[in-house]
Amino acid sequence: MGKAVKSGIITKCLGGLYTVETPDGIFECKARGIFRNRGENLYTGDNVGITDGVITEILNRKNCIIRPPLANLDQLIFVVSTCSPSPNYLILDKFIAIAEYKGITPVVVITKTDLGDSTEIKKIYEKIGIEVIETDYGRPETITELKEMFRGKISALTGNSGAGKSTLLNAVDPTLKIPTAEISRKLGRGRHTTRHAQLYKLADGGYIADTAGFSTFDTHSYDIIRKEELAGCFREFREYNDCKFRDCSHTCEKGCKVIEALKDGKISVSRHESYRTMYEEAKQIKEWEL
């Protein structure tokens, strides 16, 4: 008889050991050397097969991001505060583009709505069809809305340090007791407390990963988008792609449908400015970086 193979999900990778949750329990596992020999990496969120405490195969990975190392994400939650820190639309748009590129559903969650105005953030992203949730800890129904969004999905949170990600998670599921850091008034940002990629199982169903803040990462760590592919990662551009020139960059050309939509107010100024900045950055990417 062959050895019994169990299947499960990696919930933590740390120091060459992998925590795998299966229907039969939670196991601490090592990985077969063949993965290293093939140059294959195991990520938190991977569905795997294990035999006698050893991971023997990686199953149906639908997507992954490299840093933090996470796989099979259903949605990427961007936590944006109305103030302290103020929204950085360029960084937010870069991460949304990566989510679109990877086939991960982007969601915007706004915090500190009692301290600042969330109208502009909500307007920009709801207009393009991205779900936006405004949280207010004094209104329990907004937290209930978050719980429903997480239920049955593998999600990751990211956002500027100090935007309140850990506080948000603890409100969704108080049993998590994720440590939070006070905002440093001197630096104007939070001291991030998350040290590694880990999936937390939520009481109401689903998994959530808390990830380090925007200030920690270069978006190239998630993936590199070629300039030719960038417009497809801005969903509001898609209906205006029939430009006069096939290789239109959508940045300044005469006859560009995207530029016309921008002038008509159909595309927001901040989104197009983000696109132009990202396009110029993509032009500088060398072939060996791809």
Side-chain angles (χ1 to χ4, degrees):
M1 293 180 63
K3 295 181 179 179
V5 178
K6 302 179 188 294
S7 59
I9 182 173
I10 296 176
T11 58
K12 182 167 67 172
C13 305
L14 191 62
L17 286 177
Y18 303 89
T19 303
V20 180
E21 182 179 313
T22 77
D24 298 323
I26 297 174
F27 300 87
E28 294 293 328
C29 303
K30 292 185 177 181
R32 288 183 64 191
I34 193 170
F35 297 120
R36 183 174 59 254
N37 296 338
R38 291 175 179 170
E40 296 180 31
N41 295 311
L42 290 161
Y43 293 161
T44 297
D46 267 329
N47 296 303
V48 295
I50 63 173
T51 305
D52 293 339
V54 177
I55 296 174
T56 55
E57 59 180 328
I58 304 171
L59 309 171
N60 61 318
R61 180 190 286 171
K62 64 181 180 181
N63 59 52
C64 68
I65 53 178
I66 299 170
R67 185 174 140 194
L70 291 166
N72 297 315
L73 291 173
D74 294 306
Q75 51 191 9
L76 195 49
I77 316 300
F78 304 95
V79 182
V80 184
S81 55
T82 61
C83 57
S84 301
S86 299
N88 184 322
Y89 291 111
L90 173 59
I91 297 297
L92 178 56
D93 289 334
K94 283 186 174 185
F95 276 82
I96 289 175
I98 289 292
E100 301 275 26
Y101 187 63
K102 290 286 189 177
I104 304 168
T105 300
V107 180
V108 174
V109 174
I110 308 174
T111 60
K112 304 183 184 180
T113 54
D114 57 327
L115 301 176
D117 187 3
S118 59
T119 305
E120 186 66 16
I121 309 169
K122 186 177 174 68
K123 177 183 176 183
I124 290 170
Y125 296 101
E126 279 193 337
K127 181 179 179 180
I128 61 174
I130 290 177
E131 183 176 7
V132 178
I133 298 178
E134 298 172 282
T135 59
D136 182 343
Y137 299 119
R139 295 169 53 218
E141 65 271 18
T142 65
I143 305 305
T144 299
E145 188 176 0
L146 281 175
K147 290 180 180 180
E148 288 300 319
M149 181 186 66
F150 290 136
R151 194 189 306 275
K153 295 184 174 67
I154 298 178
S155 311
L157 264 73
T158 193
N160 272 339
S161 297
K165 298 183 298 298
S166 296
T167 301
L168 192 73
L169 284 179
N170 288 332
V172 169
D173 188 346
T175 66
L176 294 176
K177 297 180 181 178
I178 298 170
T180 59
E182 293 295 323
I183 289 179
S184 167
R185 296 185 183 278
K186 184 176 181 181
L187 296 177
R189 57 182 174 81
R191 298 189 307 275
H192 192 74
T193 57
T194 305
R195 302 301 179 192
H196 56 267
Q198 179 173 349
L199 290 182
Y200 298 93
K201 192 170 186 177
L202 299 173
D204 291 336
Y207 294 90
I208 186 75
D210 186 20
T211 67
F214 285 153
S215 59
T216 307
F217 294 136
D218 179 346
T219 47
H220 283 184
S221 298
Y222 282 71
D223 210 328
I224 295 174
I225 305 174
R226 295 174 182 267
K227 67 181 190 300
E228 296 84 6
E229 300 171 304
L230 185 60
C233 300
F234 280 69
R235 57 175 67 184
E236 66 269 44
F237 288 16
R238 293 170 191 167
E239 63 180 290
Y240 305 112
N241 270 340
D242 55 337
C243 292
K244 184 177 180 180
F245 305 104
R246 178 178 295 181
D247 60 349
C248 183
S249 71
H250 309 309
T251 57
C252 60
E253 293 90 341
K254 290 183 179 180
C256 172
K257 299 294 184 181
V258 169
I259 298 296
E260 290 177 7
L262 174 67
K263 291 177 179 178
D264 292 341
K266 296 176 181 177
I267 291 175
S268 74
V269 172
S270 69
R271 287 279 290 171
H272 190 260
E273 287 179 351
S274 293
Y275 171 80
R276 287 183 61 181
T277 300
M278 293 168 66
Y279 189 87
E280 289 303 314
E281 291 174 352
K283 284 169 61 177
Q284 306 306 315
I285 296 172
K286 306 295 189 295
E287 283 299 316
W288 58 265
E289 295 183 272
L290 299 171

